[in-house]
Amino acid sequence: MSLNAELALTKTEEDVKDAYIKALGLKKYNKGLVDIQTEEIWFEAKEAATPPVLMFTQLLFYVRDARKKGEHIPPFLAVIDREKAAIMEIAKALPIMADKSIAWPKSASAVDKTIAMQAAPYIEAHFVVYKMDSHEQEFVQAVKTAIKAGKLIRTPISPDNLRQVFDKWVVMVGREIDGVSEADYALLFFADIMHDGTKATISNLPARLLHEDDKPLFLLNGKTYELGSDRGYRNFWAIYHRPPDEAYRAYLLERRDSLLPLDERSFKGAYYTPLHVVDKAYDLLAQALGKNWQQNYIVWDMCCGVGNLEVKHSNHRHIFMSTLDRADIDVMHASHTCVAATKFQYDYLNDDVTDFCQFDYSLTNKMPLELRQAIADANAKKKGAKKILVLINPPYAEAMNVDNTTQANGQNSELKKGVGQTRVADCMGNYGYASRELFAQFMVRIQNEIPNAVLAMFSTLKYVNSPNFEQLRTHWQAKYLNGFVLHSKAFDGLRGNFPIGFLLWDTSKKEPLSQVSTTALDKDGQVIGCKTFYRSVDRLPLSAWIVRPRSNQQDAIPLKNAITPSTSTKDVRGDKWADDAIGSMIVFGNDMQHAAQGTALLSSGYGNAGAFFVTPENLWQAAIVFAVRRLIKPTWLNDRDQFLQPNQALSEAFKTDCLMWMLFNGSNLSAGANGLVWNNKPWSLVNHFIPFTEVEVGACERFESNFMQRYMAKLKFSQEAQAVLAGGKKLWAQYHATRFEKKIRDEFKLNRPDVGWYQIRQALQAHGSEVAVDFTSFKHAYEQLSAKLRPQVDALGFLRS
């Protein structure tokens, strides 16, 4: 896990210290008055974001004290918190010791902003600040080289980091240059980096860097431009080394075409990846593949859209970009996107696939000869052959549901219809459900066509942990290298809240997948923690826990809600009953994505797939399934988490708590009602889930079923469950003591005494505009029971977080 990800999880100052110690690989250190103390460097640490000048001043208190005592002083000081770090050479700050006007306090903890303001003139120009979300690697490398070399070594500018250094230069320097166009940033950037601080290292550049009173000025087209503030300029050049190595200079200038200004609005289409996400992806690639990966790998993006996934690459001549639509190629040519890259129209899921599921490039002759040769050399493991990196953001949608790749993204919906019926899909007979997924089709052809490639892919996490993808995981195996997940809201046009993963796989190594640990990013690309996704092969899914009773020949009314019959009459589910059934339960899917909206208890069959009959024999299991699926709040990050069967025996207290929780949950849609009409026939619902007798709640007529009251009489309930039962009884009694107006009676079918919890809640709330109904004590009791149950969902193995 990256340092930035570790810091996002910290809760105390000690956690912050430990995260930095681990990331920097510190071996010999002490924790004391100086937060982290080594021979070479002293650290001041804070949990919360703190001004660096204040932290450095506190460190200088210890330096001053050590000098008086003749003790060892390290050559470097560093300050660290959850968001940033900074480093400084002590020698640069020592003149402060001669300033007698500074009234140093008796302890470092007493150093305040007043003292820091007096120290600022001595130190502000000498420390380098690194923000962890953008310059983590540079900081770690700076500290490690400082310890090893005894001096601060700035990060060099090379062909592999050119694009990202340029983007950071634009933020820290370019936007401070008043009056210039963004189109001129590249010219000014090269004038700046090709200067050693005293003179230009390359003459005759279109722009020039000048200095006046030690302040930088830029000369372009006969005009001089100043910086609005030179603070970012100083900090930028404290991090990076200039000029670049002489061997790189001419090469970097040739890459100027890769530094055209990027405009988010210029990228549209089904495969659009936001630029801040692309930046995070390139950081990850450098971590996983090495800092020279852009030199060592050929990149092929076979669903490039209009190319924004490649614009952060610094060497476009190593890129092959293909896309289904010729119009995308035209857009890239018009916008000068990745000018030196090889672009071609290619239908990757259909072109050059033979009837025998082999690849014959002569079928279309679309693939460039250079790429054909690179694939052949890589597959033959030819000496000197470049490795191939497949870098893609393919469509996420199912073949039968292409909403996310059509009109929402500005594409022609007619063009995308039937796209799942591909030549590759026809070759996936043993892959089950996965053959319907477009991104899975890309994975399968890549594995077969380029079996030694590294795959770096944006996609949903279905192929990692969904039960429907078990057959894919059997056939498609690779070594997991690294990855992050981020909120789907980062991508325009995607509906819902779920994680999109950017995961890296070495397809040359066939390793069965057990789990995938990732860094978690929010929609803005900020680290918020970590997330592990499990294949879940150790236990069966919760969806297979209950033996589902078979239906019999007894007719039943199929419902689509508590008291609403299905509107269909043909091919409808739930129109038959089962032996001894008391209701049915909806259980859509086996993951958190479906749990919130796909879990409910009904008094008859459900009109669609995804339900099972509840009987006296499986009621205890049904209650547990209901509670487990609804207790944990769904988030975008746990959206794909799978429910599993418990990993230990369940206590009677847990079982009865779940039963009570289900009976008084808002998705208990059991009901009693007459006068329902379906298929031109009248129907009634009998409610078997009333936990009270008629006398206990003051009912005027007999309940047709007293099953639940008899069932519960044999059980022992916890104090929390009893409190919920008592609160529910008061509301049930208030319902039976209330005379509801006709509008409410008709709306909620209040025409039988054995109404259900859904009807009682809705009727009392609707009546509340006339007479106040107090749900406060009940809600408090229910929340206490919920708080007791939630930790047990993980503890008993129903979820793996």
Side-chain angles (χ1 to χ4, degrees), residues 553-558 565-566 569 575-576 674-684:
Q553 296 305 307
Q554 181 182 345
D555 290 336
I557 178 173
S566 171
T569 57
D575 62 342
K576 297 295 181 182
N674 292 326
L676 277 62
V677 177
W678 177 74
N679 200 16
N680 298 316
K681 296 180 182 179
W683 298 84
S684 293

Side-chain angles (χ1 to χ4, degrees), residues 520-559:
L521 313 177
D522 64 16
K523 64 183 179 65
D524 298 317
Q526 300 302 309
V527 175
I528 59 172
C530 60
K531 176 66 178 175
T532 299
F533 299 87
Y534 298 93
R535 184 179 180 183
S536 305
V537 294
D538 58 334
R539 277 172 288 134
L540 293 171
L542 187 62
S543 59
W545 193 40
I546 296 177
V547 176
R548 298 174 178 238
R550 291 181 177 275
S551 58
N552 56 28
Q553 296 305 307
Q554 181 182 345
D555 290 336
I557 178 173
L559 300 172

Side-chain angles (χ1 to χ4, degrees), residues 395-431:
Y396 311 142
E398 297 176 32
M400 302 301 292
N401 178 16
V402 295
D403 290 346
N404 283 336
T405 60
T406 56
Q407 293 171 339
N409 291 291
Q411 299 293 300
N412 185 322
S413 59
E414 293 302 319
L415 181 65
K416 303 297 182 182
K417 283 183 179 179
V419 71
Q421 303 303 312
T422 67
R423 301 279 287 178
V424 173
D426 292 341
C427 297
M428 293 172 64
N430 297 323
Y431 286 80

Side-chain angles (χ1 to χ4, degrees), residues 8-21:
L9 300 175
T10 58
K11 294 182 172 61
T12 67
E13 187 176 298
E14 285 302 311
D15 293 341
V16 172
K17 295 178 192 177
D18 292 340
Y20 278 96
I21 289 170

Side-chain angles (χ1 to χ4, degrees), residues 557-566 573-574 577 581-588 598-615 619 622 626 662 666-672 676 685-689 756 758:
I557 178 173
L559 300 172
K560 66 178 183 180
N561 208 320
I563 52 176
T564 307
S566 171
R573 308 290 181 93
W577 203 231
I582 56 174
S584 70
M585 184 174 290
I586 304 170
V587 279
F588 293 157
T599 309
L601 180 66
L602 298 168
S603 283
S604 189
Y606 183 61
N608 289 301
F612 66 87
F613 290 108
V614 179
T615 67
L619 175 58
F626 182 101
M662 177 184 73
S667 287
N668 172 7
L669 305 183
S670 59
L676 277 62
L685 295 177
V686 177
N687 184 9
H688 296 279
F689 295 91
Y758 165 80

